[in-house]
Amino acid sequence: MSEGLRWAGVDTSTRTYSVCVVNAAGGVVTQADLPADTEAAHAFLSGYTPTLVEVALETGTTSVHLARTLAELGYAVSIYDALKVRRFLQVKLNKTDANDAHGLAEVARIGGAHLRKTYLKPLSLSVLRSKLVIRERMIKMRKLNEAAMMSLLHAYGVRADVTPSSQPSLRRIVMKMIRDVERNYEVPIRGLIMPLLKLSAILRKDELLLEKDLKDYASHSDICCRLMEIPGVGVITAVSFVTAIGDPHRFHQSCDVGAYLGLTPRVWRTGIYTKRRGISKVGNRLTRKHLHIAARGVLDSRIESSLQTWAKGLADRTNRRKAVVALARKLAVVMLTIWKTGSRFELVRPLATASEL
């Protein structure tokens, strides 16, 4: 029966889909370049539906929509981590879309069990995740914009007395600095600074709108409300964790979430020598950053908890940086456990030792 089975690989781009179908022996059954249209891909693959075991794609912005559409049509779709599958695809001498599609089909046929697959989030979680990403980009753009604005003013010898904490305070400080420059140097600096100041105001306004949407979601989400009972975990961290995980039951053990988010150390072992290196930093970088911020919040919180006591003890034995990383990993495990079991966070309870995590 296995002789009649088929596996398909699809290499996506903004204009075309390169599709390759292989049989159980690894032979190419058919290969084609299609327009970047989900209906065209479905029409091509539907002829192999009875024996098509899996459709393989690699992670990327152009593959998500196709993967979601094919999954809704009943295909068994797998999305492989592009960083992991890249080494397999590099076996080919020439890098082409057709070779990549063939390589993905081979990955699905022989290597699917050994390569990391990416979880395809529901559309609602993808939209929510996009809001987090856009908010992060806006914050980065605003900080770069404000740094450029201050750098221009510093060149004329003026300094801000205090660090601005809001847009009104930023405007007040910048306008004072502009007046000082114009008075001391008689330079028309206002025309250079005002566009940057207006851009900063627009970005701050849009940031607040996105944060309002995230707060509204968190306030109506039972799991987010329970996660925010942990000292140091706020709206952003709770929503970030929920959107990164999606389905908590895909983790057989709660401790696996630490490795999934790149918070476990890499191990280098050869012969009798074993060396632990820094954390792997695989997985979602933004959620890992939010967990680090939450871990620092737990350490500095005025609310005492078992998490804080454990982390402070670890910081005394090692250093604060290592304690924050370990606490971020433990936070992820605790948050996933709360999610899976439907329990609530307890401020004081026995905690597992570091070796158990």
Side-chain angles (χ1 to χ4, degrees):
M1 292 295 292
S2 63
E3 288 78 4
L5 299 180
R6 302 286 186 267
W7 291 262
V10 184
D11 184 68
T12 62
S13 67
T14 56
R15 296 183 180 275
T16 61
Y17 293 155
S18 186
V19 186
C20 179
V21 180
V22 298
N23 57 27
V28 176
V29 176
T30 185
Q31 199 160 13
D33 289 328
L34 307 174
D37 179 72
T38 54
E39 293 182 2
H42 171 50
F44 182 85
L45 294 172
S46 60
Y48 304 94
T49 301
T51 57
L52 192 59
V53 177
E54 181 181 320
V55 179
L57 301 94
E58 61 179 336
T59 53
T61 55
T62 57
S63 63
V64 175
H65 175 62
L66 177 62
R68 185 172 284 115
T69 302
L70 292 179
E72 291 173 353
L73 291 171
Y75 292 91
V77 180
S78 295
I79 305 178
Y80 292 93
D81 189 335
L83 294 177
K84 301 295 183 182
V85 80
R86 180 178 61 185
R87 298 184 182 278
F88 191 92
L89 299 181
Q90 285 175 342
V91 173
K92 295 283 186 178
L93 181 62
N94 298 315
K95 200 282 182 198
T96 65
D97 292 346
N99 283 345
D100 285 351
H102 185 198
L104 286 169
E106 285 295 296
V107 166
R109 185 178 71 88
I110 62 176
H114 306 287
L115 290 174
R116 179 176 179 176
K117 297 181 181 180
T118 300
Y119 172 67
L120 184 61
K121 298 183 181 68
L123 185 59
S124 58
L125 283 184
S126 295
V127 173
L128 195 63
R129 187 75 192 180
S130 297
K131 292 182 179 181
L132 278 171
V133 173
I134 293 171
R135 172 187 174 272
E136 187 71 13
R137 296 283 176 86
M138 284 183 173
I139 291 174
K140 184 177 181 180
M141 290 170 61
R142 177 176 56 79
K143 287 182 176 180
L144 288 172
N145 176 68
E146 292 175 0
M149 184 166 48
M150 289 298 180
S151 179
L152 283 171
L153 291 167
H154 290 168
Y156 293 94
V158 293
R159 297 288 186 271
D161 297 331
V162 294
T163 302
S165 58
S166 63
Q167 188 61 33
S169 65
L170 174 67
R171 182 179 179 83
R172 185 172 58 253
I173 291 170
V174 169
M175 294 306 294
K176 180 180 180 300
M177 294 171 75
I178 290 174
R179 289 193 297 270
D180 291 342
V181 171
E182 292 177 338
R183 183 177 62 253
N184 296 334
Y185 290 93
E186 298 181 356
V187 175
I189 195 72
R190 188 181 299 265
L192 297 174
I193 299 299
M194 291 309 294
L196 298 177
L197 190 59
K198 290 177 181 177
L199 179 57
S200 177
I202 292 171
L203 290 172
R204 280 182 183 266
K205 180 181 177 181
D206 289 337
E207 283 173 35
L208 292 175
L209 290 175
L210 286 174
E211 288 175 4
K212 182 180 181 301
D213 289 345
L214 295 173
K215 288 177 181 178
D216 289 343
Y217 172 84
S219 63
H220 292 90
S221 169
D222 174 65
I223 177 58
C224 286
C225 289
R226 284 189 281 122
L227 293 180
M228 288 189 294
E229 292 176 358
I230 304 173
V233 175
V235 170
I236 301 301
T237 303
V239 175
S240 180
F241 185 80
V242 168
T243 54
I245 301 303
D247 179 13
H249 298 289
R250 61 195 180 100
F251 296 92
H252 299 296
Q253 296 179 315
S254 294
C255 59
D256 292 340
V257 73
Y260 177 78
L261 294 172
L263 289 166
T264 54
R266 293 175 296 141
V267 177
W268 183 84
R269 179 177 296 158
T270 177
I272 62 173
Y273 298 101
T274 300
K275 183 177 180 180
R276 285 182 175 269
R277 297 180 174 177
I279 58 174
S280 64
K281 295 184 180 179
V282 299
N284 196 285
R285 181 170 55 183
L286 183 59
T287 298
R288 188 165 58 250
K289 173 185 174 181
H290 291 153
L291 286 170
H292 275 85
I293 294 172
R296 289 196 292 268
V298 172
L299 267 174
D300 298 333
S301 176
R302 294 182 180 181
I303 302 175
E304 295 184 2
S305 64
S306 298
L307 282 174
Q308 187 187 68
T309 303
W310 176 85
K312 285 184 175 180
L314 182 61
D316 292 339
R317 296 192 301 274
T318 56
N319 56 58
R320 182 181 170 88
R321 182 179 61 84
K322 290 183 178 180
V324 168
V325 174
L327 182 55
R329 180 169 63 247
K330 189 182 282 285
L331 263 178
V333 175
V334 170
M335 292 167 75
L336 186 65
T337 302
I338 289 173
W339 192 354
K340 289 176 68 174
T341 61
S343 57
R344 310 191 83 88
F345 179 73
E346 298 178 19
L347 286 175
V348 180
R349 64 172 299 172
L351 291 172
T353 62
S355 61
E356 294 174 316
L357 295 176

